[in-house]
Amino acid sequence: MSNQAGHIHYSWVQTHNSDNINSELQQVQAKESMFYYFAYGSCMCPVDLKRSLGEKTHPYVIGTGTLKAYRLGFYRISPTRKCGVLDVVKDPKASVRGVLYQLPWRLSDRLDKREDVPQGGYRHEYVDIHCEGKVYKDVRTYVVVDKLLEEVAPNDWYFNVVLQGAVTCGLPEEYCWSLFHHMYQLQQRHQIRCSDRLAL
């Protein structure tokens, strides 16, 4: 997958071995309390999630999941990433694809810190996630507390991390392209506005 702006070039392959991951996850589950977490943005990328949680997260992936009656939007500017970042908002006609994790409770505070919960950036929302023929109840996800009225473009780094997570974890190709075009169009709109300002 690639675009003319040179953002990315990825192959549509699933890189993890589900049998090995399920075995590792069962070993962890037997030792400690766990919670379900649905990621739809940069946390879909286990490598980027590891940066915040301090350990490999591949073993905690249950699979790809669907959050029904919500849609994606870039309704927050991240103070650390300095760009628009993803949010989900209720929409009965839409759905959001993402990654379902089962994480140890000891990682909960680190995940909250990543999502800026202590500073009021995001808050917990508990949702139903459809994954591999089952419905998982009371799954934690994160929603923006003070939503912007208009979407703000992601920067190239966030663009790539989100798309890398979507592709690596095996989200449907059609959804990945839709996500790609959404982010690309926001960036194009931002560039046009910047050009218009400079022309004044």
Side-chain angles (χ1 to χ4, degrees):
M1 174 177 199
S2 65
N3 80 346
Q4 294 179 353
H7 284 290
I8 62 163
H9 180 77
Y10 293 127
S11 298
W12 295 96
V13 293
Q14 196 153 346
T15 58
H16 56 262
N17 184 314
S18 59
D19 291 337
N20 289 344
I21 288 174
N22 287 338
S23 175
E24 290 178 49
L25 181 58
Q26 287 170 2
Q27 292 173 13
V28 173
Q29 289 171 329
K31 296 177 183 176
E32 54 189 315
S33 298
M34 311 286 284
F35 68 98
Y36 289 109
Y37 163 56
F38 178 70
Y40 55 82
S42 61
C43 290
M44 290 190 294
C45 178
V47 174
D48 194 58
L49 189 55
K50 176 186 175 183
R51 181 178 56 81
S52 300
L53 302 188
E55 61 185 78
K56 288 194 297 185
T57 56
H58 288 88
Y60 304 131
V61 174
I62 301 294
T64 61
T66 303
L67 171 60
K68 295 184 177 181
Y70 285 78
R71 63 178 168 80
L72 288 175
F74 287 81
Y75 294 109
R76 180 171 192 254
I77 297 175
S78 168
T80 55
R81 302 182 193 269
K82 311 295 184 189
C83 70
V85 290
L86 277 167
D87 182 23
V88 289
V89 294
K90 290 184 178 180
D91 183 341
K93 297 179 181 178
S95 62
V96 174
R97 303 298 296 262
V99 178
L100 179 63
Y101 292 91
Q102 190 172 24
L103 298 174
W105 266 108
R106 60 187 166 76
L107 300 180
S108 177
D109 288 346
R110 287 180 233 173
L111 186 60
D112 280 353
K113 183 178 179 182
R114 176 188 171 104
E115 298 299 335
D116 212 18
V117 171
Q119 285 71 42
Y122 287 82
R123 64 171 176 79
H124 295 176
E125 182 137 313
Y126 291 91
V127 296
D128 294 345
I129 298 297
H130 298 255
C131 177
E132 299 180 357
K134 298 197 300 192
V135 179
Y136 292 78
K137 300 281 189 181
D138 297 320
V139 176
R140 182 195 301 182
T141 196
Y142 291 83
V143 298
V144 171
V145 175
D146 295 318
K147 300 179 190 297
L148 299 172
L149 296 177
E150 187 176 16
E151 290 186 274
V152 176
N155 61 22
D156 286 351
W157 184 86
Y158 188 79
F159 186 121
N160 287 328
V161 168
V162 169
L163 205 57
Q164 182 178 16
V167 172
T168 302
C169 289
L171 295 192
E173 182 173 347
E174 181 180 355
Y175 186 85
C176 291
W177 277 114
S178 174
L179 184 58
F180 172 92
H181 286 298
H182 186 167
M183 294 190 288
Y184 184 68
Q185 287 169 1
L186 286 174
Q187 287 190 334
Q188 291 296 103
R189 186 182 72 184
H190 175 71
Q191 289 175 6
I192 291 169
R193 288 179 175 178
C194 288
S195 297
D196 289 345
R197 287 194 206 103
L198 291 173
L200 292 176

